DNA sequence: AGGATTTGACCACA
DNA sequence: TGTGGTCAAATCCT
């Protein structure tokens, strides 16, 4: 039942956003704001779909009653011995994690910030482990959602410094945030763990706009390794955004392990983050084909727009990948 | 004092 | 049996 409440809550947030967009429509020069809000709304509704999917899975007769990926906090703990319960919980969690969507991204260590981790991705993470990985120069850090216990959010991520370029971090995300806190990250109490790299102070609207414009103007879309229409039919596909001004932004997607690779080398000391959370919304359940076709549309639009590999950002980057500047 | 991080130990899987 | 992922007690930080 908590899951249903969560779903209602998320949908309400979406409705709020739509209202906000409506309010913006009459105002001059609000197109960009509308786009941003639309992106946010899209992300929220994708989250709602994820929750609905999870509810459906939990409702299927074959599903274990405690198999809800959203909440296991209300399992009948009192009916079992603590140790037995923990063992059972562990094995159930193990099964669940196997089915969680995964995707990875590469982010830069924010210049001027601590080198302890990549830039904020908009969510609150709590570190629960670190391990030396065989053959790897740098240890891997294990993080889970701060609201794991309160909201049953199973999202986790693994952060490891890239060996090729130690100023970048390889971040592996697992699971989708089912907590609603992330949507209100500015309002919610933030953990102190992110230190300098997490500045939660919202940017003034104009500054947000500048960042977005700056990012857009410096982006190039390259289509790599695509034949024609069958570019996405293979086992993997990729395209990249290369920022000629500020650095490189790359995305690599594959059918079974989407790997959006965002590399931001913005010189801004303000926290910025790419919507890896939004990306996650596209790998919910079995919606892979929808995501693929969306990418295919984007790529074909980019390819047909011009023979030059460089196109403007108006092909819908912020629709497919809504930005969010805290 | 409460929450976050560290780190050794445990467990599942290949 | 080795390795990666997670747990949980100890410790740190605010």
């Amino acid at each position: 039942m908590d899951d249903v409440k969560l779903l209602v809550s998320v949908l309400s947030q979406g409705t709020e956003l739509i209202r906000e967009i409506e309010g913006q429509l009459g105002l001059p020069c609000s197109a960009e704001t509308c786009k941003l809000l639309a992106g946010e709304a899209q992300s929220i509704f994708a989250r709602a779909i994820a929750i609905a999917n999870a509810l459906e899975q939990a409702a299927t007769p074959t599903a274990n009653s405690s198999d809800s990926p959203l909440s296991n906090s209300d399992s009948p703990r009192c009916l079992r011995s603590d140790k037995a319960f923990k063992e059972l919980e562990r094995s159930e969690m193990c099964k669940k994690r196997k089915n969680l969507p995964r995707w990875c991204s590469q982010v830069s260590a924010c210049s001027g910030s601590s080198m302890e981790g990549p830039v904020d991705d908009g969510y609150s993470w709590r570190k629960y482990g670190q391990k030396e990985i065989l053959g790897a120069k740098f240890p891997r850090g294990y993080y889970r959602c701060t609201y794991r216990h309160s909201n049953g959010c199973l999202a986790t991520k693994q952060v490891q410094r890239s060996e090729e370029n130690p100023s970048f971090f390889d971040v592996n995300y697992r699971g989708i945030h089912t907590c609603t806190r992330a949507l209100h990250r500015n309002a919610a109490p933030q953990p102190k763990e992110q230190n300098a790299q997490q500045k939660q102070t919202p940017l003034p609207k104009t500054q947000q706009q500048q960042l977005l414009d700056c990012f857009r103007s410096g982006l190039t879309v390259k289509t790599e390794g695509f034949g024609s229409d069958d570019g996405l039919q293979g086992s993997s596909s990729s395209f990249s955004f290369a920022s000629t001004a500020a650095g490189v932004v790359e995305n690599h997607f594959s059918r079974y392990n989407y790997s959006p690779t965002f590399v931001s080398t913005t010189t801004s000391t303000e926290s910025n983050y790419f919507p890896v959370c939004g990306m996650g919304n596209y790998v919910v359940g079995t919606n892979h084909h929808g995501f693929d076709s969306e990418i295919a549309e984007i790529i074909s639009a980019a390819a047909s727009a011009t023979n030059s590999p460089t196109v403007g950002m108006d092909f819908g980057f912020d629709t497919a990948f809504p930005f969010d500047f805290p």
Side-chain angles (χ1 to χ4, degrees):
Chain A
M1 272 305 143
D2 287 346
D3 299 349
V4 177
K5 282 180 189 167
L6 180 65
L7 179 60
V8 171
S9 156
V10 171
L11 286 171
S12 303
Q13 286 159 15
T15 312
E16 285 284 312
L17 262 175
I18 297 294
R19 271 197 212 111
E20 213 172 315
I21 293 169
E22 275 178 353
Q24 291 283 332
L25 283 176
L27 303 174
C29 305
S30 61
E32 293 301 322
T33 312
C34 284
K35 277 187 184 178
L36 284 171
L37 290 171
E40 183 91 358
Q42 208 174 32
S43 178
I44 285 174
F45 285 119
R47 184 188 306 278
I49 291 167
I51 296 168
N53 279 340
L55 276 168
E56 190 188 11
Q57 275 189 352
T60 55
T62 52
N64 188 306
S65 60
S66 61
D67 216 21
S68 164
L70 300 181
S71 172
N72 59 348
S73 56
D74 49 357
S75 299
R77 186 184 284 257
C78 57
L79 299 179
R80 307 165 186 165
S81 77
D82 215 39
K83 195 176 177 183
F85 172 80
K86 277 177 184 171
E87 278 175 14
L88 186 65
E89 189 178 52
R90 194 186 175 106
S91 82
E92 281 174 358
M93 289 289 283
C94 224
K95 285 180 203 163
K96 284 181 205 172
R97 282 186 193 114
K98 275 186 183 174
N99 296 321
L100 290 176
R102 299 180 185 193
W103 66 100
C104 56
S105 89
Q106 191 178 54
V107 295
S108 71
C110 206
S111 62
S113 72
S114 83
M115 292 295 280
E116 298 305 311
V119 293
D120 173 28
D121 58 12
Y123 288 99
S124 297
W125 299 98
R126 179 172 183 163
K127 191 172 187 177
Y128 65 88
Q130 179 167 308
K131 201 159 178 88
E132 296 289 337
I133 300 301
L134 202 76
K137 268 193 244 175
F138 305 103
R140 179 178 298 166
Y142 297 88
Y143 298 81
R144 63 180 162 225
C145 180
T146 303
Y147 308 109
R148 186 195 195 201
H149 295 298
S150 55
N151 286 20
C153 182
L154 288 181
T156 62
K157 71 171 178 180
Q158 300 173 358
V159 179
Q160 191 171 12
R161 190 177 289 273
S162 170
E163 289 190 36
E164 298 113 43
N165 192 343
S167 60
F168 294 128
F169 288 89
D170 294 319
V171 186
N172 264 285
Y173 292 87
R174 286 187 181 189
I176 293 157
H177 281 273
T178 53
C179 60
T180 52
R181 311 293 178 92
L183 298 173
H184 298 120
R185 54 193 166 269
N186 290 332
Q190 297 296 318
K192 302 146 193 172
E193 67 187 86
Q194 277 77 14
N195 301 327
Q197 55 175 297
Q198 264 201 346
K199 294 185 181 174
Q200 298 296 337
T201 314
L203 292 177
K205 254 316 187 240
T206 52
Q207 218 171 329
Q208 292 184 19
Q209 208 59 60
Q210 281 172 7
L211 270 170
L212 183 63
D213 292 343
C214 172
F215 187 74
R216 284 179 164 181
S217 62
L219 284 172
T220 302
V221 175
K222 294 185 297 183
T223 55
E224 295 174 343
F226 289 107
S228 52
D229 296 343
D230 61 343
L232 285 166
Q233 300 303 315
S235 61
S236 69
S237 60
S238 73
F239 68 92
S240 66
F241 300 99
S243 169
T244 53
V248 179
V249 176
E250 289 182 20
N251 294 312
H252 298 289
F253 300 96
S254 65
R255 182 172 296 276
Y256 300 110
N257 184 17
Y258 299 118
S259 307
T261 304
F262 291 103
V263 179
S264 163
T265 52
T266 174
T267 53
S268 167
T269 53
E270 298 291 347
S271 167
N272 67 335
Y273 50 84
F274 298 96
V276 283
C277 46
M279 301 304 297
N281 292 330
Y282 288 97
V283 279
V284 172
T286 56
N287 294 334
H288 296 166
H289 295 293
F291 189 40
D292 276 358
S293 60
E294 195 164 342
I295 295 167
E297 278 176 32
I298 293 166
I299 292 166
S300 74
S304 61
T306 171
N307 288 331
S308 158
T310 304
V311 296
M313 282 305 295
D314 286 335
F315 70 96
F317 183 90
D318 58 352
T319 303
F321 316 107
F323 279 92
D324 196 352
F325 295 98

